[in-house]
Amino acid sequence: MSLYTREEVVKLQRLLMSFLNAPRSVMAMYEVLDQSDLDRFSKALMSFSLASGSTFTLVAATTRAEFEKNKSTPASILRGNTAATKLMTLFCRHVGQDYLIETLSELVQDLVTDAELDLEVDPAKREDNGELNDAQLSVVEECRGRLRDWISKFLESITSQEGIELLPRPIKAMCYNVLRLAREYEVENNLSLVGGFILLRFVNPSLISPETYGLCKLSDHTGASRRHLTLITKALQNISNQRMFNEDFMLPLNDMIEEQIPHVESYLRAVCIDTLVDDDADAFQELFSDQKCEDFDVDAVDLAHWKFFAEFLRDEQDALLESMMSLPEDYRDTQEFKTVMEELAEYGAEDKQKHEPVELYFSPLCPFSRSVWMFCLENRIKVSLKKVDLLKKDQELDITFKKFKSYSKSLKTPLLVDGDVVLEESHAILIYLCEKFFLPSAWYPFGDLRKRMELHQTLNFIEREVHAAVVAIWTFARTLSVSSTEGPSEDDQVFVAMKKLNALIGSCPYRGKFAFGANKSLVDLSIMFVDTFCQLHYGYASTAYPHLSSISMEYQKSVAAHLKKVNAEFQGFAQYVITVSKKDSLPKVEHTVFLQETPHTVYEVLLDPENDIFLFLASKTISTKTNAKVKMGLKKLNNSSDKEELEAQEKEKVPYVVALDVGGKFNIQRREGTNLVLVPGNMIVQESHRTGWPEEHSSTELFELYATKESRCKLVFTQMNCPIQKMRESEDQWDKFWRKINGFRTRDMNHSVFFKGKAVSEMYSTFSDIAKFAKLTKTKVREEEEELLYLHNKSVVAKYVSRCVDEQIVQDWRCVDWEENHWSSCTLTFSAVEDFGCRVVMLLSDVPLDRWKHVEKLWKDSVWKKLGGVLCGNLRQRVVFREAPQDLYTLWTTQAQLETKLRAKSQALPTAPGESFSFFSNALRGTVLRMEPGKRMRFSLSHKDWPTQHPSVVELDLYENPLGTLVMFSQDLVPVSKLKSMEQLWTSEFWEKMGAVQTEDIHASMVLNRSPDVVYGVLTSSSEMSALTASECEVSTEAGGDVMLCAKSLRGKVLSMAEHHRIVWNIRAFEWPYGHSSEMTFELAEHNAGKGTLLMYTQKNIPLMCVSDAQTWWETLSKDLRKHCQAMR
């Protein structure tokens, strides 16, 4: 909005003066503020306070409010991006810029203009990429010495007596205020808060961006000097926080940190002293006395700041009034509070009386929400949209969600608020809007009782039958994760409900182009959004429900412009759900990474990895939305790319484009793509193409962010559909990126250990009884404060979390040399193995990757070996036999047949449990556990080279297969040292001699921008497939017809075809074992309201040795198919 009249300016001026005279009320503004507006809010507020002369009072009051708000979590005081810390930084810059120039400019100038200066102590950033010889290590040591000297120079300049005397009195007063508040609120190590204020909020920002503070010229400041100053600020920050370095290359400077801490503490005490008074109670009284705002210079405030507060106070008036009432009761009794409330209640009252739009709380992913939003757009109903992010986990921090929660008991969208009217069901909302705004009767036939009742009946059916199915899809989609093992839902609830609805619409007596005639009704609106949402469900196709499909398509055509807006976020979400839920078997890049920052900070860094270095180093809660920007990389990250890469980027003029919205296009570090899903602090889903990849090939990246107990971030990263030939390169690129943002990778450790002849209770007792464990493992175990256990010569710390007798023990567990505060969860599960003994399964989560081998060795040598356990693994194989299941069962249980096949003396499997047998002249011996003719064989098995009488458990599940029998083979409790030899033994001595073939299946999917009928036509056309693959192809369109692909290197038959929906071929490659073939299936489902196709590809029973070739064939076909579809008109 713009301020056009003097009257508006005076009214806003009066309100802002009342806030400035009641600075505690300013925190009420902060509580309702969208965090993306924090920068604008802070700058605007500082501008008004400077114009009124009340800056110090404002900053002091907001600082006190920061302490009060975080008194239960003192470690977070002045650590995040809040109103108080923002105002502190702005205040320091305004008051102290001359001081910074006086004390630091000469030093900064000397550093940035010294072209020969080298302070780089990180071997990974030097030209040799971290691999240094002795001479180069000597150079690094010289750099470290110079870095010490420069740190000392800056410290001396800042902490000298002259520096203390030059420090502006208002900044000293603010230091005194921080110290006083720290003591009042009993914050431990209160001097570190003073240091955080004066160094983190004042000195360090000037060294990070010295050109903006007038300390040097921009033309003098190079990438090298920025890096040098960054290293110095890291040291200053660590000294202030009294924390040692944990980066390997900075560890030698820790002795300097220890030496400087006492000196800096003396300096921090000195800057808190008012040398003009003798009594500490009178310190800086002239600044702390109330400075009432009587008037201010209107012209001294920038118009953008006027506009910000005019819009903010009008848009958030109700929320602000509510927030004011949550301030302490004693403060609400003051006159200054009452003045603010009167001015605020009066502000904008006339405008509100003219028009008060209804509020719609909605989720852009929810079909019911989008139907109401679409209805409002179509009918030009003015609504105030309040977005509720249903995917977000930390909802309680969101002011919109707080209001939504106060209205809604069910916490479901949509929800409409119109004065005293609150409705939270989409059909009720739509009917209410029809009546309130006197909309055409086609939507809701007020004057036709029969037609209205028919419409109500249909709406009720949709609500009763269809909504439940839609909610089931939504529940699956919102909890979807690549890390979960759950596959797509195949529940037929959706199909049954939509089939009934299709029949109901087909029987409607008013049926025309739409359900109730030629014009759209509320029923058609619901059908369109339900139909498009159901496409997230596995196997759903609109064409199976012709009445619903035709209505949906007609409706979409009529609202194409609005639909693009309403579905903007849903389209990316749909692509994410479809991609992830299919659980493709193709290789993926999967990493788990831990970072020191909070999930919100990491979220920001992932979207903009060259973000402001100060924010990245200092902030713990970066805002969830900042201004998008295009830049050439002037702000390089702390661990910037190596010199050659930077030079290459500058030479190529590589663009740097940041996108912070769903659907936004980004181009970051040679990775170009689109944001599909953004959930601040929780999840990012992107589709991207990296330079050097095959043209038109894109992958899907999923970043899942989780907060740990220590308020750090656990990032679970998955990259799907990466080109197979680029997998290793992609792994390395992401590894490099994690290191750049100070992350470290982890991996779970899973051990299965067998203890022969041991009871479950005995093994549980061993691990739950500290004294017994220490005795048996011959290690010292000491229990200290807070129930911490120090194990294995104090190299391990553990703490019991929970114990379930004879079943499970859970501990927090870490090695003392791990990253500070990083813990694993150690879960020990105990179970009996038939009558043979006890199995202990140990799952140790999130073990740092660089310490993984050390930890594994510790468990093997210091626990399992000493307790007499055998570390075991398991084998899993898919094997195809030509025999039918019953014939195969007979082969294994008939000695003559089995010896003939194995060509060795062996005993057949007995059919009665408990009976013994042997293979290969007693090299393998076992006992039958369970036999089900034609279905299953389960037996114990031990090898003569294994530990004495160590049993494994073998199970063969038999399934009928077009080729004969598919055997799902498993062997548990195989000694880890014998896994490879055992696998080879089964392959060479059993499967190959029995004429069987080990196989694997491939599952993959892709989204194409052409409808299913078009894609089906391409796949079933000999000429189209020949053009597509640039090789001779022959494809029959009839069951039993021939299929020849890739110059006849793949041959087979058509098994079945469902037009526009499914193609099934039986295929074999020339080099496959004789007589072996594979079933290849293409399933086509509608996507994007029928404009696109979700193509799901499955190839079953591929010979194990040929799986890689099959994956490459699919990758090539999918790339060519996508390119072919895009080229079609």
Side-chain angles (χ1 to χ4, degrees):
M1 93 165 233
S2 299
L3 298 172
Y4 295 108
T5 66
R6 179 66 182 173
E7 182 181 355
E8 288 176 304
V9 173
V10 170
K11 189 184 295 185
L12 179 57
Q13 180 183 7
R14 191 167 60 243
L15 176 56
L16 288 171
M17 281 195 300
S18 67
F19 268 105
L20 291 172
N21 286 328
R24 289 180 70 180
S25 301
V26 170
M27 297 311 294
M29 287 193 199
Y30 176 69
E31 291 299 322
V32 302
L33 182 73
D34 187 324
Q35 290 300 294
S36 63
D37 289 328
L38 181 57
D39 277 335
R40 294 172 62 207
F41 170 81
S42 304
K43 290 175 182 177
L45 191 60
M46 179 60 67
S47 179
F48 280 103
S49 68
L50 290 172
S52 65
S54 58
T55 306
F56 187 88
T57 303
L58 173 67
V59 177
T62 54
T63 304
R64 173 174 284 279
E66 170 81 357
F67 275 79
E68 178 66 24
K69 181 180 179 181
N70 296 291
K71 61 184 178 182
S72 61
T73 55
S76 61
I77 294 175
L78 300 182
R79 295 298 183 189
N81 261 3
T82 64
T85 57
K86 283 285 186 181
L87 289 172
M88 278 182 163
T89 301
L90 294 170
F91 170 78
C92 289
R93 179 168 183 174
H94 174 75
V95 175
Q97 185 156 353
D98 291 341
Y99 160 83
L100 292 171
I101 293 173
E102 177 73 16
T103 56
L104 298 180
S105 62
E106 185 176 343
L107 270 176
V108 172
Q109 284 282 2
D110 290 345
L111 186 146
V112 302
T113 55
D114 188 348
E116 301 299 320
L117 183 64
D118 184 3
L119 304 182
E120 185 52 70
V121 294
D122 184 359
K125 295 197 181 321
R126 303 193 68 83
E127 293 182 0
D128 9 59
N129 199 27
E131 297 181 4
L132 308 182
N133 55 34
D134 290 344
Q136 292 164 331
L137 287 171
S138 176
V139 171
V140 172
E141 194 56 40
E142 291 174 6
C143 291
R144 194 172 283 119
R146 288 192 291 271
L147 180 58
R148 285 175 179 268
D149 294 340
W150 275 100
I151 294 170
S152 298
K153 289 178 185 178
F154 276 90
L155 275 174
E156 176 60 25
S157 183
I158 294 167
T159 62
S160 66
Q161 186 59 39
E162 181 182 1
I164 295 173
E165 292 173 358
L166 286 173
L167 190 67
R169 185 170 174 78
I171 293 181
K172 288 183 178 180
M174 198 56 64
C175 290
Y176 167 79
N177 186 47
V178 171
L179 182 61
R180 180 176 62 178
L181 290 170
R183 289 170 176 169
E184 180 181 335
Y185 284 85
E186 300 180 350
V187 179
E188 294 181 4
N189 198 7
N190 43 47
L191 281 176
S192 69
L193 283 181
V194 179
F197 163 65
I198 197 167
L199 289 174
L200 190 61
R201 304 292 169 188
F202 180 37
V203 175
N204 279 9
S206 70
L207 298 182
I208 292 296
S209 303
E211 70 278 7
T212 63
Y213 282 76
L215 303 184
C216 71
K217 297 178 181 178
L218 177 61
S219 57
D220 294 333
H221 201 15
T222 64
S225 61
R226 287 184 188 279
R227 173 62 177 165
H228 296 160
L229 286 171
T230 296
L231 290 170
I232 292 169
T233 58
K234 285 169 70 73
L236 295 179
Q237 183 175 331
N238 277 35
I239 293 171
S240 168
N241 292 337
Q242 300 185 5
R243 291 180 62 183
M244 300 297 108
F245 288 112
N246 51 26
E247 301 99 328
D248 290 344
F249 63 91
M250 296 292 277
L251 290 177
L253 296 177
N254 280 340
D255 59 338
M256 183 183 189
I257 300 289
E258 292 180 338
E259 293 170 6
Q260 292 293 345
I261 285 174
H263 177 61
V264 171
E265 282 185 340
S266 299
Y267 164 74
L268 295 176
R269 291 190 186 95
V271 297
C272 295
I273 297 173
D274 187 351
T275 57
L276 302 182
V277 298
D278 295 328
D279 189 352
D280 185 67
D282 298 325
F284 307 105
Q285 278 303 302
E286 80 282 5
L287 291 171
F288 285 106
S289 59
D290 287 341
Q291 302 173 24
K292 292 296 181 184
C293 173
E294 301 295 337
D295 197 0
F296 55 75
D297 183 3
V298 172
D299 296 328
V301 181
D302 190 272
L303 178 60
H305 297 151
W306 283 105
K307 291 176 67 177
F308 172 79
F309 270 112
E311 294 173 357
F312 171 73
L313 291 169
R314 180 165 283 114
D315 293 344
E316 303 296 337
Q317 183 183 30
D318 292 339
L320 189 52
L321 285 167
E322 182 179 343
S323 181
M324 290 283 290
M325 292 306 296
S326 66
L327 292 173
E329 187 174 351
D330 60 337
Y331 179 68
R332 298 203 302 269
D333 291 333
T334 63
Q335 184 56 47
E336 65 182 35
F337 174 85
K338 294 175 182 178
T339 301
V340 172
M341 291 295 284
E342 289 171 2
E343 295 286 351
L344 182 59
E346 183 182 343
Y347 183 73
E350 294 179 3
D351 290 342
K352 283 205 165 191
Q353 289 172 2
K354 294 177 184 176
H355 180 65
E356 183 75 36
V358 297
E359 292 183 344
L360 176 63
Y361 290 84
F362 79 109
S363 164
L365 306 181
C366 168
F368 314 130
S369 289
R370 286 183 288 122
S371 67
V372 176
W373 185 14
M374 172 64 76
F375 184 76
C376 293
L377 289 174
E378 280 195 85
N379 292 284
R380 299 182 181 180
I381 298 172
K382 188 173 182 180
V383 294
S384 175
L385 292 173
K386 307 289 185 180
K387 179 181 173 181
V388 178
D389 195 337
L390 296 178
L391 295 179
K392 198 173 181 181
K393 295 169 187 169
D394 50 352
Q395 294 281 22
E396 297 302 327
L397 303 177
D398 189 292
I399 188 64
T400 300
F401 185 80
K402 287 181 180 179
K403 287 190 68 177
F404 170 65
K405 187 177 180 180
S406 69
Y407 288 126
S408 174
K409 295 180 180 179
S410 65
L411 296 183
K412 295 179 181 178
T413 58
L415 179 138
L416 183 130
V417 179
D418 186 14
D420 295 334
V421 177
V422 178
L423 298 171
E424 54 177 338
E425 196 281 316
S426 59
H427 292 160
I429 292 172
L430 293 169
I431 294 172
Y432 175 81
L433 293 175
C434 285
E435 294 202 22
K436 178 179 174 69
F437 294 100
F438 305 101
L439 297 180
S441 60
W443 288 110
Y444 185 75
F446 297 100
D448 188 330
L449 178 61
R450 180 183 172 186
K451 195 172 185 179
R452 188 165 76 249
M453 291 304 101
E454 292 272 6
L455 185 141
H456 265 293
Q457 178 176 293
T458 307
L459 289 177
N460 288 341
F461 177 87
I462 294 173
E463 184 178 341
R464 184 179 67 253
E465 299 285 344
V466 180
H467 279 198
V470 171
V471 169
I473 298 173
W474 167 246
T475 301
F476 168 75
R478 71 177 298 190
T479 57
L480 188 63
S481 170
V482 174
S483 55
S484 70
T485 57
E486 183 182 1
S489 170
E490 297 187 14
D491 181 14
D492 63 357
Q493 181 183 10
V494 173
F495 307 117
V496 171
M498 295 301 277
K499 185 177 180 180
K500 289 181 179 178
L501 180 59
N502 184 69
L504 181 62
I505 296 299
S507 64
C508 182
Y510 308 102
R511 182 79 166 90
K513 186 164 65 171
F514 293 102
F516 285 80
N519 298 313
K520 292 176 287 187
S521 69
L522 298 184
V523 168
D524 305 297
L525 178 67
S526 293
I527 287 173
M528 191 260 286
F529 279 102
V530 166
D531 175 62
T532 53
F533 190 82
C534 284
Q535 291 176 24
L536 298 183
H537 191 280
Y538 184 78
Y540 179 85
S542 287
T543 50
Y545 317 100
H547 299 298
L548 305 182
S549 178
S550 64
I551 289 174
S552 179
M553 295 302 295
E554 284 294 335
Y555 204 118
Q556 290 175 63
K557 290 176 186 176
S558 69
V559 292
H562 293 319
L563 197 61
K564 186 175 182 181
K565 180 179 182 179
V566 172
N567 279 350
E569 290 193 37
F570 175 72
Q571 289 302 326
F573 176 72
Q575 187 170 338
Y576 150 70
V577 172
I578 290 167
T579 302
V580 174
S581 67
K582 299 304 168 276
K583 300 294 178 186
D584 290 355
S585 60
L586 298 179
K588 303 180 182 71
V589 176
E590 297 178 287
H591 291 170
T592 300
V593 185
F594 276 78
L595 301 107
Q596 294 291 340
E597 285 67 40
T598 64
H600 279 282
T601 302
V602 174
Y603 173 89
E604 283 269 333
V605 172
L606 291 173
L607 290 178
D608 184 2
E610 294 186 8
N611 208 338
D612 192 306
I613 182 65
F614 169 65
L615 286 177
F616 178 63
L617 289 176
S619 173
K620 291 298 180 185
T621 51
I622 293 180
S623 63
T624 58
K625 186 177 180 183
T626 55
N627 294 325
K629 49 190 173 288
V630 179
K631 53 189 179 180
M632 291 300 296
L634 293 177
K635 297 180 180 179
K636 294 300 177 187
L637 198 60
N638 179 29
N639 297 318
S640 57
S641 302
D642 58 58
K643 185 176 179 182
E644 291 183 3
E645 185 176 344
L646 288 176
E647 289 177 353
Q649 289 187 13
E650 290 177 9
K651 185 177 180 180
E652 297 173 22
K653 298 190 180 300
V654 176
Y656 186 83
V657 183
V658 175
L660 303 174
D661 297 314
V662 173
K665 307 290 184 182
F666 63 85
N667 194 339
I668 298 174
Q669 298 173 350
R670 296 190 173 92
R671 193 170 69 91
E672 186 174 2
T674 306
N675 291 329
L676 300 181
V677 180
L678 297 178
V679 186
N682 294 151
M683 182 169 63
I684 299 171
V685 184
Q686 297 175 328
E687 184 178 54
S688 71
H689 171 89
R690 195 180 283 275
T691 302
W693 283 11
E695 189 180 355
E696 307 297 338
H697 191 112
S698 60
S699 67
T700 301
E701 290 85 30
L702 174 60
F703 305 82
E704 298 175 271
L705 308 175
Y706 303 93
T708 66
K709 294 178 183 178
E710 299 79 24
S711 297
R712 297 184 302 160
C713 179
K714 177 180 179 179
L715 165 62
V716 178
F717 169 77
T718 309
Q719 183 178 32
M720 295 164 280
N721 198 34
C722 173
I724 293 174
Q725 68 272 27
K726 297 288 185 179
M727 284 288 294
R728 181 63 181 271
E729 180 182 324
S730 189
E731 286 262 10
D732 293 341
Q733 287 167 335
W734 286 111
D735 265 334
K736 188 176 181 181
F737 179 69
W738 308 137
R739 291 194 295 271
K740 284 182 179 181
I741 61 174
N742 295 330
F744 62 94
R745 282 183 58 192
T746 67
R747 183 175 139 202
D748 292 349
M749 183 177 295
N750 198 332
H751 284 179
S752 178
V753 187
F754 178 70
F755 293 88
K756 186 182 66 177
K758 301 288 185 180
V760 167
S761 58
E762 182 180 353
M763 293 313 303
Y764 175 85
S765 172
T766 299
F767 284 93
S768 59
D769 186 329
I770 298 170
K772 184 177 181 181
F773 179 82
K775 181 179 179 181
L776 292 175
T777 58
K778 300 177 182 178
T779 184
K780 291 183 179 180
V781 178
R782 193 172 82 250
E783 186 171 6
E784 295 191 358
E785 70 283 353
E786 299 180 354
E787 299 181 353
L788 291 179
L789 301 175
Y790 286 82
L791 313 169
H792 309 297
N793 298 322
K794 295 185 179 180
S795 65
V796 172
V797 185
K799 182 179 181 180
Y800 287 110
V801 176
S802 66
R803 284 180 267 200
C804 183
V805 177
D806 293 345
E807 291 185 18
Q808 190 179 77
I809 296 174
V810 181
Q811 296 176 328
D812 286 335
W813 195 98
R814 73 184 303 272
C815 290
V816 295
D817 60 354
W818 286 5
E819 189 82 16
E820 185 180 0
N821 291 327
H822 180 74
W823 290 81
S824 285
S825 176
C826 178
T827 303
L828 297 164
T829 305
F830 305 86
S831 61
V833 181
E834 303 294 341
D835 295 325
F836 304 127
C838 174
R839 170 165 38 195
V840 178
V841 175
M842 185 277 292
L843 175 60
L844 192 63
S845 67
D846 300 317
V847 178
L849 202 59
D850 61 346
R851 304 297 296 159
W852 206 89
K853 289 183 179 179
H854 167 78
V855 174
E856 185 173 50
K857 187 175 187 301
L858 186 149
W859 278 93
K860 285 181 177 179
D861 296 346
S862 301
V863 182
W864 309 133
K865 186 176 180 180
K866 290 183 177 181
L867 293 177
V870 178
L871 184 61
C872 300
N874 58 65
L875 296 176
R876 297 286 185 272
Q877 295 177 351
R878 296 166 50 93
V879 190
V880 174
F881 289 78
R882 294 184 187 177
E883 293 85 357
Q886 187 59 50
D887 293 339
L888 185 61
Y889 179 86
T890 302
L891 188 155
W892 281 85
T893 55
T894 305
Q895 184 163 342
Q897 291 188 38
L898 190 62
E899 285 188 335
T900 300
K901 285 285 187 181
L902 299 182
R903 299 192 291 276
K905 186 177 179 181
S906 300
Q907 294 177 339
L909 291 178
T911 57
E915 295 188 19
S916 60
F917 63 91
S918 66
F919 297 139
F920 305 115
S921 302
N922 293 325
L924 293 172
R925 301 175 64 88
T927 304
V928 169
L929 300 175
R930 184 180 180 185
M931 300 290 280
E932 296 180 41
K935 294 182 179 180
R936 178 175 297 141
M937 294 175 279
R938 179 180 170 88
F939 48 88
S940 68
L941 193 68
S942 59
H943 193 282
K944 64 182 180 65
D945 294 335
W946 291 2
T948 306
Q949 295 183 348
H950 176 89
S952 66
V953 179
V954 177
E955 187 163 310
L956 291 86
D957 290 311
L958 283 56
Y959 301 94
E960 191 170 354
N961 182 277
L963 299 174
T965 300
L966 170 64
V967 173
M968 302 300 290
F969 166 86
S970 67
Q971 185 176 13
D972 289 337
L973 298 179
V974 180
V976 166
S977 60
K978 305 297 181 180
L979 270 174
K980 190 170 183 180
S981 61
M982 197 67 206
E983 183 177 25
Q984 291 173 345
L985 187 149
W986 282 105
T987 300
S988 60
E989 300 300 322
F990 284 90
W991 314 141
E992 290 180 1
K993 289 182 177 180
M994 288 180 165
V997 179
Q998 281 184 253
T999 69
E1000 276 192 13
D1001 294 350
I1002 289 180
H1003 304 278
S1005 62
M1006 64 183 300
V1007 175
L1008 299 166
N1009 65 348
R1010 289 292 178 266
S1011 60
D1013 60 322
V1014 174
V1015 177
Y1016 181 89
V1018 171
L1019 293 172
T1020 56
S1021 167
S1022 298
S1023 58
E1024 293 268 19
M1025 287 294 286
S1026 296
L1028 179 73
T1029 61
S1031 62
E1032 183 183 354
C1033 296
E1034 182 180 324
V1035 182
S1036 174
T1037 57
E1038 296 181 1
D1042 292 332
V1043 176
M1044 289 184 284
L1045 306 172
C1046 302
K1048 301 182 180 180
S1049 62
L1050 293 176
R1051 292 171 174 263
K1053 298 285 185 181
V1054 177
L1055 292 181
S1056 64
M1057 302 183 74
E1059 190 173 14
H1060 305 163
H1061 183 55
R1062 183 183 292 108
I1063 304 166
V1064 185
W1065 297 333
N1066 188 51
I1067 292 289
R1068 63 170 272 102
F1070 177 76
E1071 66 275 14
W1072 286 8
Y1074 177 77
H1076 188 85
S1077 60
S1078 169
E1079 186 178 285
M1080 185 182 292
T1081 303
F1082 300 90
E1083 287 190 75
L1084 292 75
E1086 289 181 352
H1087 175 66
N1088 192 16
K1091 300 174 186 175
T1093 298
L1094 169 63
L1095 175 59
M1096 291 165 283
Y1097 170 79
T1098 304
Q1099 188 173 2
K1100 296 181 178 180
N1101 299 324
I1102 306 166
L1104 192 61
M1105 61 183 178
C1106 302
V1107 169
S1108 178
D1109 293 339
Q1111 289 175 339
T1112 302
W1113 182 84
W1114 161 251
E1115 185 177 286
T1116 303
L1117 177 68
S1118 61
K1119 180 190 69 174
D1120 292 340
L1121 188 57
R1122 180 179 280 111
K1123 190 173 181 180
H1124 187 77
C1125 287
Q1126 289 175 345
M1128 297 174 68
R1129 295 184 180 275

